[in-house]
Amino acid sequence: MSTPRPLAGRLVPLRTKDEVRASLETQSVYIVEVPAKFANAVKDVVQAAIPDFKTSEISHLRRVVQFKYLPVHLQKQFYPPSRLPRGDDDDPATPALSSSPSPPLASLDEGECDAERLDLVRFFLLCPTKHIPHADLFALLRQCAPFDAKNAPAPRVFYVTVPSLAPISADQATAWSDKYWPISYKNTNPYGPHPSLVQRNAAEIEGEAGTWLALARTAGKQIADECLGEALGVVVVDRTKGTPQVIAVAGDCRWRSPSGAAEAPTGTGNVMAHAVQRAIAMVAKKRLRTSGTDPALLDRSLFCDSPLTDVEKEYYERDNIASSGYLCVDLDIYLTHEPCLMCSMAILHSRFRRCIFSTRMPHTGGMTSDGDDVNPLSGGLKHGLFWRPSELNWKFLAWEFIEDDADKQAGALAEKMIHV
């Protein structure tokens, strides 16, 4: 058969459930304005007073920040600084903080404020507000230098909203530093695959993803033309031998009865004949055939696990898979649509290496954890099943393939026909 024209587009890595949580969760913290030389002393007093507070909770946040490094909205909130003593070595000839009339706030943007005066103070992140009531913290600070000095002004304590969890990328750290509070990024991702792992794998497959997805679309169309299922298709690829090898191609057969006849497209149809289930069954049968065992031993009419269309037969008949190995280990799966919850678990339990799909399924999808950039509510069931290592015994990388506008328009009519 002729090779379909590859889809044009780009790969976008899916965010894990914990990554989504990290991007959404915030908490309130206390910020106190202190002279630079007193910051460590204040930190020690506060830490001793609330032993349940572990600094690891806020290790992704800068603890002591100069005024010039604060986000603009906090500069406006904190300006002007208090008049505080600076310590025993104060130079009487040096103006005390705020001893002269403060310039208008607009002068901050114009660079006309007294930079030396602002450099004398630091804004210290004490702890999350959940650890100590404001009144208790205020009383505690009153016992610390320089707030315990005679005629010293009361400490200025601010409530500031910050991200509860660490950023997952340098770009996110930069955005959070502008929006919330200066962030410390440690070039890692505690909530999902490391960025370098994702980039390395994406570079390996991005040049061919459009080819396999176009083939999957062809598989779905051939089945739909026979009225046996929806226009959903799957391609399984082996890249472990250098040259990519297509192991199985399958379309959706939910509207095919166990006897082989087309059924009325009502209800959910035969859920055991989804394209993913059929493709995995074909992989298993090919392994049996390679080992010398008759694959007909696995024939089950309910599962529709034999090739039906020309494209399915073409790739099923190729002997290009080893007889041994745990079902789909090291194999990649390409799908025209985000797999449903059942098929997502089948992909996970079959030990696929990577999963790439081109269309989200807002009501049934099991891979995504969030909405897309256009529609935040388009994130399926938000289970993020591709990366839940603390709860599931397998994980794999997953991407959404975002098609260019021309390809989106070409497939728009077929998309309208998908029921689930």
Side-chain angles (χ1 to χ4, degrees):
M1 62 170 290
S2 60
T3 303
R5 181 174 66 88
L7 304 185
R10 70 186 192 280
L11 293 175
V12 177
L14 296 192
R15 292 200 296 172
T16 69
K17 194 173 180 67
D18 285 340
E19 285 176 342
V20 173
R21 174 174 164 253
S23 68
L24 297 176
E25 273 196 21
T26 59
Q27 62 179 333
S28 179
V29 297
Y30 291 120
I31 306 294
V32 64
E33 177 194 321
V34 295
K37 69 171 294 179
F38 292 103
N40 283 332
V42 170
K43 177 192 71 174
D44 292 341
V45 170
V46 173
Q47 188 68 42
I50 46 175
D52 291 341
F53 165 55
K54 307 300 180 185
T55 56
S56 58
E57 294 179 33
I58 55 171
S59 61
H60 58 292
L61 303 168
R62 300 288 184 186
R63 295 297 300 277
V64 181
V65 180
Q66 290 180 261
F67 181 87
K68 62 184 177 182
Y69 296 120
L70 292 171
V72 172
H73 72 282
L74 291 183
Q75 289 183 351
K76 294 179 178 180
Q77 179 182 347
F78 295 169
Y79 186 85
S82 296
R83 184 182 187 280
L84 291 170
R86 297 185 297 282
D88 297 338
D89 57 350
D90 283 352
D91 181 355
T94 302
L97 299 185
S98 298
S99 60
S100 58
S102 300
L105 185 58
S107 68
L108 284 174
D109 300 328
E110 301 167 2
E112 298 174 357
C113 63
D114 186 350
E116 179 183 359
R117 185 159 56 88
L118 289 170
D119 283 345
L120 294 173
V121 297
R122 298 293 184 269
F123 294 89
F124 179 43
L125 193 160
L126 295 173
C127 64
T129 57
K130 64 185 179 183
H131 287 292
I132 184 172
H134 182 277
D136 293 348
L137 177 64
F138 189 87
L140 189 64
L141 292 173
R142 264 305 196 183
Q143 301 171 27
C144 302
F147 306 112
D148 61 346
K150 185 178 180 180
N151 298 325
R156 288 208 302 165
V157 180
F158 304 93
Y159 291 86
V160 172
T161 298
V162 299
S164 298
L165 303 171
I168 63 174
S169 68
D171 289 343
Q172 189 175 65
T174 299
W176 283 358
S177 294
D178 292 337
K179 182 178 181 180
Y180 297 107
W181 180 263
I183 300 292
S184 175
Y185 177 59
K186 298 177 174 60
N187 194 32
T188 187
N189 179 9
Y191 313 113
H194 194 280
S196 63
L197 176 65
V198 176
Q199 292 168 6
R200 188 166 60 252
N201 279 267
E204 182 178 326
I205 64 175
E206 61 186 352
E208 63 196 50
T211 298
W212 308 136
L213 289 168
L215 181 59
R217 181 171 289 179
T218 296
K221 184 179 183 303
Q222 287 190 3
I223 284 288
D225 288 347
E226 298 293 331
C227 298
L228 299 178
E230 298 293 335
L232 308 167
V234 167
V235 172
V236 176
V237 178
D238 181 2
R239 289 199 96 265
T240 62
K241 301 171 185 175
T243 302
Q245 295 284 325
V246 176
I247 304 302
V249 175
D252 175 71
C253 271
R254 70 188 64 193
W255 309 128
R256 180 182 182 275
S257 71
S259 66
E263 294 185 328
T266 59
T268 59
N270 180 6
V271 296
M272 304 310 298
H274 284 191
V276 168
Q277 310 288 344
R278 297 187 66 229
I280 293 172
M282 290 181 195
V283 172
K285 294 176 80 170
K286 286 185 69 169
R287 286 199 188 276
L288 281 181
R289 188 177 69 206
T290 303
S291 69
T293 303
D294 183 1
L297 291 173
L298 291 182
D299 281 350
R300 297 292 186 275
S301 59
L302 176 64
F303 293 95
C304 252
D305 54 6
S306 295
L308 299 174
T309 62
D310 291 341
V311 69
E312 291 180 358
K313 293 173 183 177
E314 177 183 351
Y315 292 100
Y316 179 76
E317 291 169 0
R318 297 181 183 182
D319 290 325
N320 57 355
I321 190 170
S323 60
S324 60
Y326 187 99
L327 200 48
C328 296
V329 165
D330 290 333
L331 301 182
D332 300 337
I333 186 166
Y334 292 81
L335 309 96
T336 57
H337 295 73
E338 178 183 2
C340 68
L341 184 60
M342 179 187 69
C343 289
S344 294
M345 287 302 294
I347 290 171
L348 185 140
H349 287 305
S350 298
R351 304 294 193 263
F352 277 96
R353 178 187 182 191
R354 295 178 292 214
C355 173
I356 304 93
F357 65 84
S358 61
T359 301
R360 289 189 177 219
M361 298 301 281
H363 303 296
T364 61
M367 288 290 178
T368 50
S369 300
D370 61 349
D372 59 28
D373 294 337
V374 177
N375 181 7
L377 301 178
S378 65
L381 301 174
K382 296 181 171 61
H383 286 304
L385 289 176
F386 71 100
W387 197 278
R388 303 270 297 260
S390 63
E391 303 150 298
L392 301 170
N393 61 358
W394 188 255
K395 61 182 183 289
F396 51 90
L397 301 178
W399 291 265
E400 179 181 6
F401 185 84
I402 305 297
E403 294 183 65
D404 292 346
D405 289 340
D407 283 313
K408 284 183 179 179
Q409 294 171 4
L413 183 59
E415 301 301 334
K416 292 180 181 178
M417 300 301 294
I418 304 301
H419 297 297
V420 294

